């Protein structure tokens, strides 16, 4: 049969006049699944439509079922294919990055193919002082996450511990570096959406969990979403000028 050319197998951009606008959403195992749906609803009321929520955990589960080890290169390749097929829309990518290597690979592979926004970090509000009460609160939170994780996934305590430890050892440091990167190099501010029992800006109907996002963080993301299409057009024009 005819040979398959390399360009025929690479992901295609659905619309050369637009770019995907991407927000990473990351949190520990056991965070309610519909958090992104809640964020979509909140920003939709402000006039922003999110057309896609890509769940990295789903992509990872599919690969692991096939016995594949999911490297940063493989995961970013899967994301690239899905993102570019839906080119030109606002998107959430949840469960990414897992670690700093994921983000570095994202930058290398995706480059200016997309406009990447500040990360949304999902975690509970807690006190700043390292007291015994804080330790008790953190342990209570951990137990709630574990119970929700096992109830939702039917997986074991050992699996939760593996994912929870990886989140604390690899993901949190990566998110901290990503926040610094957004502030220094991208001139953007990080956005933290905290799971809380306080009165939220908007809430998600799941037992014992409401989504709360601070006013400043909400407006930071809103500002980015307002500016992102202009950033995309400027990048496209710069690339076109460079080709002439």
């Amino acid at each position: 049969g005819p040979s398959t050319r390399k360009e025929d197998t690479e992901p295609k951009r659905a619309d050369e006049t637009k770019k995907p606008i991407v927000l990473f959403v990351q949190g520990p195992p056991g965070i309610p699944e519909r958090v992104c749906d809640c964020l979509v609803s909140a920003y939709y009321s402000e006039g922003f439509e999110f057309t896609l929520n890509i769940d990295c955990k789903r992509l990872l589960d599919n690969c692991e079922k096939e016995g594949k080890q999911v490297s940063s290169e493989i995961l970013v390749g899967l994301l690239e294919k899905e993102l570019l097929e839906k080119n030109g829309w606002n998107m959430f990518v949840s469960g990414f990055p897992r670690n700093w290597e994921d983000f570095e690979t994202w930058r290398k592979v995706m480059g200016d193919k997309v406009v990447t926004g500040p990360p949304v970090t999902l975690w509970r509000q807690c006190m700043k002082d390292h007291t015994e009460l804080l330790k008790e609160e953190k342990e209570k939170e951990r137990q709630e996450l574990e119970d929700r994780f096992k109830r939702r996934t039917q997986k074991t305590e050992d699996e939760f511990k593996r994912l929870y430890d990886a989140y604390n050892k690899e993901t949190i440091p990566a998110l901290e570096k990503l926040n610094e990167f957004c502030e220094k190099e991208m001139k953007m501010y990080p956005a933290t959406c905290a799971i809380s029992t306080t009165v939220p800006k908007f809430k998600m109907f799941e037992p014992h969990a409401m989504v709360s996002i601070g006013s400043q963080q909400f407006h930071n993301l809103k500002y980015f979403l307002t500016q992102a299409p202009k950033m995309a057009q400027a990048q496209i024009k710069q690339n076109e000028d460079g080709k002439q």
Side-chain angles (χ1 to χ4, degrees):
S3 61
T4 302
R5 295 180 301 171
K6 185 176 185 292
E7 57 266 28
D8 292 336
T9 62
E10 291 182 341
K12 302 285 187 182
R13 288 179 59 176
D15 184 344
E16 290 294 333
T17 66
K18 297 180 181 180
K19 288 189 180 186
I21 296 166
V22 180
L23 289 172
F24 298 142
V25 181
Q26 183 58 285
I31 284 291
E33 285 183 318
R34 297 199 305 274
V35 166
C36 282
D37 292 341
C38 196
L39 290 170
V40 167
S41 297
Y43 284 100
Y44 182 79
S45 67
E46 298 286 331
F48 300 102
E49 183 177 0
F50 282 83
T51 58
L52 188 65
N53 171 26
I54 299 178
D55 184 0
C56 285
K57 294 180 178 63
R58 172 180 58 82
L59 298 178
L60 293 169
D61 284 345
N62 290 343
C63 288
E64 288 171 359
K65 286 176 182 177
E66 297 174 5
K68 298 177 181 177
Q69 292 292 322
V70 189
S71 65
S72 295
E73 288 77 11
I74 290 175
L75 180 55
V76 170
L78 293 171
L79 290 174
E80 180 186 26
K81 185 175 185 298
E82 292 210 25
L83 285 169
L84 297 186
E85 287 175 352
K86 302 292 184 180
N87 195 14
W89 298 93
N90 300 328
M91 307 180 193
F92 283 118
V93 176
S94 59
F96 189 90
R98 300 167 298 176
N99 48 49
W100 187 244
E101 182 184 354
D102 277 357
F103 181 65
E104 290 281 73
T105 303
W106 172 270
R107 289 180 65 194
K108 179 180 177 182
V109 173
M110 300 304 293
D112 63 359
K113 297 175 184 176
V114 300
V115 177
T116 304
V120 180
T121 308
L122 304 169
W123 192 231
R124 295 174 180 272
Q125 296 175 342
C126 64
M127 298 170 292
K128 294 181 180 179
D129 296 330
H130 292 279
T131 62
E132 287 300 318
L133 182 58
L134 173 59
K135 293 178 182 177
E136 292 177 8
E137 286 292 317
K138 295 300 289 182
E139 181 54 35
K140 181 181 177 182
E141 289 173 355
R142 183 191 182 285
Q143 190 59 55
E144 288 178 0
L145 288 170
E146 180 180 330
D147 292 345
R148 189 178 289 116
F149 173 83
K150 290 192 292 187
R151 185 170 62 248
R152 193 183 74 210
T153 65
Q154 306 301 312
K155 292 184 178 179
T156 64
E157 179 181 344
D158 288 343
E159 180 65 8
F160 171 82
K161 184 178 185 303
R162 181 183 73 81
L163 295 172
Y164 186 80
D165 288 347
Y167 180 82
N168 283 291
K169 292 176 182 177
E170 299 181 32
T171 305
I172 288 180
L175 291 172
E176 290 173 348
K177 289 179 69 175
L178 183 51
N179 282 341
E180 292 176 5
F181 173 83
C182 286
E183 288 186 354
K184 293 179 181 178
E185 297 192 38
M186 300 171 68
K187 308 301 181 187
M188 300 177 189
Y189 293 98
T192 300
C193 179
I195 299 295
S196 170
T197 56
T198 59
V199 178
K201 184 178 181 66
F202 52 90
K203 74 177 183 178
M204 175 178 56
F205 297 101
E206 175 152 331
H208 314 301
M210 295 186 292
V211 174
S212 170
I213 184 169
S215 176
Q216 186 60 52
Q217 287 79 18
F218 185 86
H219 288 293
N220 285 345
L221 276 180
K222 182 179 176 181
Y223 177 75
F224 165 75
L225 291 171
T226 302
Q227 296 300 311
K230 302 174 187 177
M231 295 165 61
Q233 290 303 313
Q235 290 178 4
I236 290 171
K237 185 177 186 305
Q238 185 177 15
N239 288 342
E240 289 175 347
D241 291 344
K243 293 176 182 178
Q244 293 177 0

